[in-house]
Amino acid sequence: MPLRSELESTIASDIRALSAASEEIGRVFGSQHGLRPNDFRALILIMVADVEGNPLTAGELGTRLGLSSAAMTYLVERMIESGHIRREKDAHDRRKVILRYAEHGMDVARNFFSPLGARTNSALEGLPDSDLAAAHRVFSVMIDAMRAHVEGLRSQT
């Protein structure tokens, strides 16, 4: 059995490789659908926040993307016009407007990413549920650590 430090190093390396592969898939998706890199990043951030139950406002998205208010307005308007996202009143605070995927955006994403989903399901089918549960726990703590690091970096600026 490898040393714990070796396992942690391997996991960190795996996450970097996963991130690089994910970014490449995003680049291809963007080029096939006329999206700029920040457009794709915005779509991913909107989806992740929505799935986690914390939908984003344009301002929150702009902060995460590191964009000025004017650049964020341009990005949101362009993404709405292209049918990828829509604005929606927040159910809890009617003064807030949140960003969500539009039906067209969901259709485009579904068509592109369904084959990846099938490949992923096929790749995972031989693993026991206990391995998947352990992987989920590892990913969860790594995501939390990375998000905390980003918040720390933001607070320094």
Side-chain angles (χ1 to χ4, degrees):
M1 182 77 157
L3 296 173
R4 182 174 182 94
S5 62
E6 292 171 347
L7 290 171
E8 290 177 1
S9 179
T10 299
I11 288 170
S13 180
D14 290 345
I15 288 175
R16 286 190 298 276
L18 180 65
S19 294
S22 180
E23 285 182 23
E24 185 62 16
I25 290 168
R27 190 195 61 72
V28 172
F29 177 83
S31 70
Q32 287 183 2
H33 297 284
L35 299 174
R36 300 171 184 176
N38 272 338
D39 298 347
F40 184 75
R41 286 183 58 221
L43 290 173
I44 292 294
L45 290 170
I46 290 168
M47 178 184 288
V48 168
D50 207 22
V51 166
E52 292 178 349
N54 300 309
L56 297 173
T57 65
E60 292 164 339
L61 180 61
T63 297
R64 292 191 186 180
L65 292 172
L67 297 178
S68 69
S69 181
M72 194 60 228
T73 298
Y74 178 66
L75 182 146
V76 168
E77 293 301 324
R78 197 176 63 248
M79 298 299 289
I80 288 171
E81 189 175 306
S82 68
H84 287 281
I85 64 172
R86 61 186 166 80
R87 288 187 186 98
E88 181 179 294
K89 292 274 186 193
D90 187 309
H92 304 292
D93 183 351
R94 303 299 284 170
R95 296 168 297 172
K96 268 176 73 173
V97 176
I98 56 176
L99 303 174
R100 303 250 192 218
Y101 263 81
E103 199 56 43
H104 168 75
M106 288 303 290
D107 290 342
V108 168
R110 220 178 272 115
N111 289 335
F112 183 87
F113 289 102
S114 287
L116 175 59
R119 285 180 193 263
T120 302
N121 289 342
S122 178
L124 295 175
E125 72 184 3
L127 296 175
D129 291 355
S130 59
D131 284 2
L132 298 180
H136 175 65
R137 287 192 307 274
V138 170
F139 282 129
S140 292
V141 298
M142 293 299 294
I143 291 165
D144 289 346
M146 293 171 88
R147 286 178 175 166
H149 185 67
V150 167
E151 287 305 313
L153 293 171
R154 281 192 188 129
S155 69
Q156 293 174 4
T157 58

